[in-house]
Structure formats: C-alpha cells, structure tokens
Amino acid sequence: MPRAKLAGLLLFFLGPAVAIYTLFSVYPLVATMALSTYTSDPSGARHFVGLANFETLLGDALWSKPFWNALGNNLIFFAVHMCVQNPIGIALAGLLSLPGLRLKSFYRTVMFLPTMLSVVIVGFSWNLILSPLWGVAAGALKAVGLGSLFAPWLGLESSALVTLSLISVWQFVGIPMMLIYAALLNIPQELIDAARVDGLGQFRIFLHIKLPLVLPTISLVSVLTFVANFNAFDLIYSIKGALAGPNFATDILGTFFYRTFFGNQLQLGNPTMGAAVATVMFFIILLGLCLYLFLVQRRIRRYAF
Amino acid sequence: MRRTFKAAMGAELAALALLAGLGAAQAGSLKIESWRNDDADIWNSKIIPAFNKRYPDIKIEFAPSAPKEYNAALNARLDGGTAGDLITCRPFDASLALYQKHQLDAVDGLNGMDNFSDVAKAAWQTDDGKTTFCVPIASVITGFIYNKEAFAKVGVSEPKTLDEFHAVLEKFKKDGTYVPLVMGTADQWEAATMGFQNVGPDYWKGEAGRANLIAGKEKLTDPQYVAAFKEIAGWAPYLGSGFQAQTYADSQNLFSLGKGAIYAAGSWDISTFRGQAKFAMGAFPPPQPAGTTDCYISDHTDIAMGVNAASKNKEDAKKFLEWLTTPEFATIYANALPGFFPLAKTPVKVEDDVAATMVGWRQSCKSTIRNSYQILSRGTPNLENELWNVSAQVVNGKLTPDAAGKQLQDGLDKWYKPAK
C-alpha cells in the first residue's frame, strides 16, 4: 500500500475519534492543569502563580490535612473493593460457569441488576435499609438473635466509610463478575475435559486450570476498580453530602475536590484550587496505572489457544 | 463505575449550560433562579399569577435547583452567561461575591426599597452598608415545635427555662411513648442551625455577641459559646436511637408521624408539617438559661432576590423586584409559605397559628442572625462548615464543648484578623 494511501486511511478511520477525544478529554485535562497554576481575586480576575496552589495543597496544614485524610480514606475505599468486590465477583463468575447450573441467566441478571441502578437510588435505598428508625436491618438482625450487633453504621466515624464501601461493592460486583464470566467462557472445553479425565473435581479445575487462565482479566478488573475508586464521588455525596461526615470520616478525593471546586453552603467555590486538587488526583491515578503497567502487566503471560 | 475524570466536569457543565441557554433568554420572559424547589408549586400557582394580574405581558418561569447544588450550579451558569434574569440571593458572602464580580446589579434605586429596615437589608449589602444588591424577601426563625397531644398526655407544659426544658425531656424519656427530642446529626447542619444557633443567642446576647465576635472582642472559646455547646451536648440521651445516622428527612418524618414530642425546628418546617402531621402543634422559643432575663431568637434573613447584571430583560426584571417590595407580595408569600416571614416594614397578617406564634416572638424577644454568616465564613477554614462538623460531633459525644470552641477559634485565627 502506498504511504499516502495509508495515511489517508489512518486519517479516515482514526481522525474522528482523535478529534473527539482531544476535544472532550485531552483539552479539558490540559485546561484544568493550566487553571491550577492560577489564582483568582474577589473581582474574579485570574493571576498566574505557578505551582503555589500545589505548595498550599501539600504544604499548608489547612489543606494538606484534609487532603491526606481524603487520600487515606480513598485507599481504604479501594482496599475494601479489592478485598471484597473482586473475590466475590470471581467466585460468582466461577459458580455461574459451572456446567449444568440451572437458571443461569436469571442469577446473572439478578446479580448484575444493581449495577444499572442510579447511584442516588442506591444511596437512598441503603440509607433507608440501614436507618435505625425505619430500616429493616435492625429487625433482620434481631430476628436471627443478633440484634445487639446493630448500630447506626452510616453515622459512626468508625464504621461509616466501610459501610459506604460495602454499599458500593454491592452495587458494582456485577461488573467483575460479568468480565470474568466472559473470560471463563472463552476457555476451550478440551482443557477442562482433559483435567476432568485426569481426575480433578470442579473446585480444583477452577483453582488450577480456569483461574490462571483468567488472571489477565482479573488484573484488568483491578485496574478498572482502581480508576473508578479514585474517581468515586456520587455515592458519598448522595448519602453523606459534600461535608462527608461524621468529621470527614467518609471524605474521599472526589468529595474533597467537589467542596474545593464548587464550595459548600457559605463556602464559595475556588476553581483554581479545585483544579489543583483535580490535577493531583490525575497524577495519583496516573502513578497507579504506571506502577501497574510496569510491575504487573508486563509479567502477565497470555495463553494463546 | 465512574466513567470520566472529574476535571472534565467544569468544562462539561459549561458546555451543557451553553447549549441549554441558547434556547432561553428572550424579551418579555423572565427566568428565576432559586434553591427553593420545595416551593415551585406555590410560585407557579400563587405568586406568579398574582404578579401577572398586574403585568399580564411578563412571562415568568420559576426554575429552581436542588438546595445543596444551588450555589455551584448558579455560579457555573453566571460564569457561562446562561443564568436566569432573576437570581434568588443567599444571605451575605455568596451574594456579595456575585455583586463584586459584577454579576448582580445594585437595587438601591428601586421603588419600595424604603419599606425595609437596615437590619433586613444587611444580609445583601456591601460591608460598608452603602449599596444593596438584592430585595429582601423573607427570614426564618428557629425554635422548638411540639406535639400538643404528647404534651397533654404526659402532662407537661411549654418550658420557659432550660431547667424546665430538661425536666420536660426527662419526663418524656421516663414515659417512653415518644422520642423526647427529634433531631439527627447525620446531615450535620441540623446540630449547628437548630442546635447551636437556636439556643445559643440567649448565651451570647444576640446581635451584641455577634458584633463582638466580628470585632474580635469575643472569642468562640469564651464561656458563653462553650455553654451553648454544653447545652446541645446534653441532648444526646433524649434523641432517637441511632440519631447519628438520622437524616433531616428522617427527623421530619419521625415528628410528623407523631412519634416525637419536641422537634428542634426551623420555621421553614411548618409547611412540611402542615401537609403531613395529623395532630395539633405548638411552638416555644429557645428556653432561657438560668439567670438570664432578656430573650433572643435566631431570626435569620435568608432569602432575597436580585437581577442578573447580564440579563437581557432588566426592565421587566425591575418591575418584578419592585412588586416584591409591596405588601401584596408579602401577604401572599407569608401565607402561602407559613414559616417564611416577610421582612417588609408593613405588618402582614399570618394565618397559620404556629407560624403566627413564631413570628410573634419578635415582639417579646430580640432578633439576631446566625453569627457565622457575616464576614466570618469568608476564609478557609469556613466557619459555617466547621460549625456543622463541630456541632454534630459535640452532640455525638465525640468532641467536648471546650475542644469545639477551641477548634472553631483556631480555624478562625488562621485567616481572620479583626480590626481591634
């Protein structure tokens, strides 16, 4: 193929996507980074200040304390997803892919359903379920003799963040389940039959044959979880509001960014400082992705069938 | 899972607003920006038709946002040039900033502005008091609303002093039928607004204390402020079980279902209760601490309206604002929305008995506004936000009253240097 024609083809097929991506993703990102090097005075005029916003964010205790608190909470939020959501997703996918399981599509739908609900509805429902006044959680625990374990989980500093993480897990467990399920279906039947002939039971087939083969998918799911968790915002905002109470126990980078950028009640929004927070969030996610690409992705062996 | 990077949010918002704005904004029609989405019905069925009786040619659209998103949405629309013609003004700095950015016009020249006292206008004036940029609409009063049937059943009467108040709560707790005091701390602002700012003015002597705080003559670590925190810290045993996770909507439901005896109330709750509660209600002002004689109420200037400096239809917008200064509007507003009290000097008859009781406190007690609102929430950390957090923690028993005062004052000291 002549070079000119190849270039023309590339432009034809990639051009629109690059243009749209640049307009709606690259440009806002660059604009945000540019905005983070400015500050605005009461009249609304902006002045260039270089990296001063970042110095304030990381150096001034007034900003750095909530920032590190939010980052720490974000790590806990992520850890809960990694330790609960993904193992459950893998287990469910494993169960779903068992041969001879009846009502397969019914289970699949039921478990995927919450993922499609609006976060506001999820937040509202769980708020009601866990409410100490009208919630069914207290009654349900009492019915099985564990009534004394009940506490206003969403309102206590010690439990609010983990409770919110688990609500998020409940909502999104369908995504790792579906991705891993799809990968499991791709495993050639011959491999499994061979294992069966060798005398392995279903559980050991899953552990020794299927799981290693879906590892690339699992690592992909982990990255998706990482990006999603560090961008998370809506669930916490819909249940706890922008102040992410009690005492910022549920404050994550997303809510911290929102408060900074848009303000809250009498606090006016500070777009330039908000842009600085957003930029730092971007670099945290970038760093996480780079670590993943260099340390994990390169070592994953793919099996070609 | 979240899809996009948050940084794109601002740009997206602006782009969306731009698209939405292209369709709107034509002469002869006005759009009102407001956070009172609860009142959309009343604006559409009562207030706007009453205005149209006089000015049939001016079309008005009431376009409210959710209260907690209002400031953010409004600022984005104003910056993007797509905001409505009439802007409902939050008190103090939020609106002052809009005026300073030349997004609101001054309203001093309007007919009828002399129908408001200086106190009524204070929330929407420049710091020197020379320019007013919004027409005051209403204030809200905080106090306590109670279930009259519960009071009769347990055999108690309206408490006048805090000692009586505590005795009443204790009696309800012993009786066990009702939640003695209905308030939650999940949303945090209730503890600050209906707790601290409600019972507090009696301790810091209303406006005098507020002015001293701004002048730097008093500190939030002073005994009068710590005492207010001590009072709300004592409420925990009388609140509903699991009050730490009880939201504002939970509180409203709990009381309107008749399960609570006393509700730490803002007058804006009245219309909600009128629609839902089936029992007779009464109201009493914040009970007085021992040894005080004067009483103070939080009579907080809360709502006003200004004109968008970029509006294409300022003539009509001014007609509407002038109509807002008339007794006709005040009467409609006060009775359509019992609990929002007009600020105009001309007296207005309030039909609702609970609302009438609350506004009647203006005769016997001195009015003051929330002390965190003027000037003191200008910097970082923001005093109002801090107050929400700290008050909720005090009620939750996570922070002592002394530590609460210290945290607030330390935060204030970081950026506020009052002229001494």
Side-chain angles (χ1 to χ4, degrees):
Chain A
M1 197 183 288
R3 274 191 97 92
K5 200 176 170 195
L6 181 71
L9 271 179
L10 277 179
L11 197 69
F12 180 74
F13 284 110
L14 292 180
V18 171
I20 290 174
Y21 186 75
T22 309
L23 183 63
F24 289 106
S25 276
V26 179
Y27 169 69
L29 191 61
V30 174
T32 302
M33 287 182 185
L35 184 60
S36 69
T37 58
Y38 284 81
T39 185
S40 48
D41 62 20
S43 72
R46 298 223 159 108
H47 309 283
F48 183 76
V49 289
L51 295 177
N53 283 340
F54 295 95
E55 270 168 41
T56 316
L57 180 62
L58 300 173
D60 183 347
L62 208 60
W63 287 92
S64 66
K65 221 177 102 197
F67 172 74
W68 292 117
N69 171 49
L71 185 61
N73 287 340
N74 229 149
L75 286 170
I76 297 174
F77 192 70
F78 175 56
V80 171
H81 280 79
M82 284 304 283
C83 299
V84 182
Q85 173 183 291
N86 294 347
I88 291 180
I90 296 168
L92 288 176
L95 289 174
L96 273 181
S97 68
L98 282 182
L101 178 75
R102 282 196 240 171
L103 294 174
K104 219 178 249 185
S105 54
F106 171 73
Y107 293 132
R108 220 167 46 201
T109 312
V110 164
M111 281 179 282
F112 196 72
L113 214 53
T115 310
M116 297 186 291
L117 291 177
S118 143
V119 181
V120 178
I121 294 176
V122 169
F124 182 74
S125 321
W126 276 99
N127 227 341
L128 266 185
I129 293 169
L130 297 177
S131 162
L133 294 170
W134 0 79
V136 293
L141 279 178
K142 212 174 271 170
V144 293
L146 295 171
S148 60
L149 285 182
F150 184 80
W153 289 305
L154 279 173
L156 301 179
E157 266 180 66
S158 53
S159 59
L161 181 62
V162 174
T163 311
L164 281 165
S165 313
L166 291 174
I167 294 173
S168 167
V169 164
W170 173 84
Q171 178 171 19
F172 292 124
V173 76
I175 287 175
M177 179 193 82
M178 288 309 263
L179 287 172
I180 294 163
Y181 178 61
L184 286 171
L185 292 185
N186 262 335
I187 298 171
Q189 194 58 38
E190 296 87 43
L191 276 177
I192 294 160
D193 289 342
R196 175 110 17 99
V197 171
D198 282 346
L200 292 187
Q202 286 296 355
F203 181 70
R204 294 186 65 193
I205 290 179
F206 180 76
L207 205 64
H208 296 300
I209 311 287
K210 291 179 174 174
L211 201 56
L213 288 175
V214 296
L215 269 184
T217 310
I218 292 176
S219 73
L220 175 81
V221 164
S222 311
V223 165
L224 284 179
T225 312
F226 173 75
V227 175
N229 284 172
F230 277 80
N231 267 331
F233 159 75
D234 36 18
L235 181 72
I236 303 213
Y237 182 70
S238 74
I239 294 186
K240 304 302 305 183
L243 279 188
N247 194 21
F248 301 107
T250 57
D251 197 22
I252 60 173
L253 290 171
T255 42
F256 178 58
F257 162 76
Y258 180 90
R259 257 198 336 272
T260 313
F261 193 94
F262 291 110
N264 181 57
Q265 193 70 7
L266 299 189
Q267 177 195 337
L268 298 175
N270 184 343
T272 55
M273 204 63 200
V277 175
T279 306
V280 171
M281 279 170 76
F282 170 73
F283 281 114
I284 289 171
I285 294 173
L286 194 66
L287 183 75
L289 286 181
C290 289
L291 283 178
Y292 165 81
L293 285 176
F294 286 117
L295 299 180
V296 183
Q297 184 73 18
R298 291 198 310 180
R299 296 182 192 188
I300 287 178
R301 276 186 290 167
R302 289 178 188 279
Y303 297 86
F305 304 115
Chain B
M1 274 186 207
R2 299 290 303 161
R3 305 126 299 170
T4 47
F5 183 53
K6 287 283 161 353
M9 225 156 99
E12 275 172 30
L13 261 179
L16 271 177
L18 199 73
L19 285 176
L22 290 177
Q26 36 181 267
S29 74
L30 294 172
K31 194 171 140 199
I32 300 178
E33 298 276 355
S34 171
W35 69 89
R36 292 296 309 165
N37 52 0
D38 291 356
D39 310 341
D41 230 21
I42 286 150
W43 278 86
N44 289 324
S45 66
K46 291 185 181 160
I47 299 171
I48 295 172
F51 173 73
N52 279 144
K53 262 186 204 155
R54 290 203 181 186
Y55 300 97
D57 300 333
I58 304 176
K59 263 207 197 131
I60 297 185
E61 184 199 351
F62 185 69
S65 324
K68 58 181 177 180
E69 275 131 39
Y70 178 69
N71 294 11
L74 178 66
N75 283 328
R77 283 201 281 263
L78 281 170
D79 290 339
T82 59
D85 309 276
L86 293 160
I87 311 286
T88 307
C89 302
R90 297 263 196 201
F92 297 111
D93 287 354
S95 299
L96 180 61
L98 298 183
Y99 175 72
Q100 283 169 339
K101 282 204 271 175
H102 308 292
Q103 292 176 325
L104 284 177
D105 279 348
V107 295
D108 294 300
L110 289 183
N111 297 327
M113 281 307 282
D114 47 359
N115 197 15
F116 299 102
S117 69
D118 287 341
V119 176
K121 288 190 282 194
W124 299 282
Q125 283 180 329
T126 47
D127 286 353
D128 59 14
K130 281 186 186 142
T131 313
T132 311
F133 39 83
C134 297
V135 178
I137 294 184
S139 73
V140 290
I141 295 176
T142 46
F144 295 88
I145 295 179
Y146 66 95
N147 180 335
K148 277 189 173 164
E149 289 167 22
F151 268 51
K153 186 169 170 282
V154 178
V156 288
S157 54
E158 288 182 14
K160 297 252 177 326
T161 66
L162 278 176
D163 292 336
E164 286 171 28
F165 180 60
H166 298 153
V168 169
L169 290 176
E170 194 53 44
K171 237 176 168 175
F172 274 110
K173 195 174 163 75
K174 283 229 176 74
D175 177 77
T177 321
Y178 302 92
V179 172
L181 183 60
V182 180
M183 191 182 87
T185 57
D187 292 335
Q188 307 192 72
W189 65 269
E190 293 167 82
T193 309
M194 272 97 103
F196 184 75
Q197 301 281 18
N198 187 0
V199 294
D202 275 328
Y203 290 100
W204 62 74
K205 311 219 174 300
E207 285 292 289
R210 191 177 77 85
N212 283 339
L213 205 55
I214 292 172
K217 288 183 202 145
E218 286 181 17
K219 288 187 170 298
L220 286 154
T221 43
D222 289 350
Q224 61 272 37
Y225 299 98
V226 175
F229 278 125
K230 272 190 188 137
E231 170 60 25
I232 63 171
W235 290 2
Y238 305 110
L239 302 177
S241 75
F243 64 87
Q244 300 95 330
Q246 179 178 327
T247 63
Y248 176 55
D250 286 340
S251 304
Q252 287 181 316
N253 283 331
L254 194 65
F255 184 72
S256 58
L257 287 171
K259 293 185 177 173
I262 303 173
Y263 176 91
S267 55
W268 61 88
D269 285 311
I270 294 173
S271 22
T272 317
F273 291 156
R274 284 292 173 221
Q276 292 167 359
K278 299 272 182 286
F279 49 84
M281 287 180 289
F284 58 87
Q288 287 187 253
T292 54
T293 45
D294 294 340
C295 71
Y296 298 87
I297 52 166
S298 167
D299 184 356
H300 191 74
T301 46
D302 196 42
I303 298 185
M305 195 172 284
V307 57
N308 181 354
S311 165
K312 293 207 176 63
N313 192 7
K314 284 193 196 173
E315 280 316 302
D316 287 344
K318 280 184 183 149
K319 278 182 200 153
F320 187 76
L321 289 185
E322 280 177 0
W323 182 69
L324 291 184
T325 66
T326 60
E328 182 191 0
F329 168 76
T331 311
I332 296 173
Y333 194 80
N335 288 304
L337 286 168
F340 289 88
F341 304 113
L343 288 161
K345 283 183 201 158
T346 36
V348 165
K349 186 161 167 38
V350 179
E351 311 279 346
D352 184 281
D353 62 329
V354 177
T357 308
M358 289 182 98
V359 77
W361 300 339
R362 279 180 181 166
Q363 312 308 319
S364 48
C365 300
K366 288 179 192 147
S367 294
T368 180
I369 58 176
R370 294 173 204 156
N371 59 10
S372 53
Y373 267 58
Q374 190 176 26
I375 300 172
L376 299 182
S377 283
R378 224 164 247 187
T380 312
N382 179 287
L383 183 64
E384 175 73 358
N385 280 355
E386 286 274 284
L387 200 55
W388 288 16
N389 179 21
V390 161
S391 308
Q393 285 197 69
V394 165
V395 177
N396 287 351
K398 291 275 175 192
L399 200 63
T400 64
D402 287 300
K406 187 173 172 332
Q407 186 178 331
L408 293 177
Q409 190 59 44
D410 285 353
L412 210 50
D413 287 342
K414 285 215 171 94
W415 62 271
Y416 185 62
K417 307 275 177 282
K420 298 234 166 123

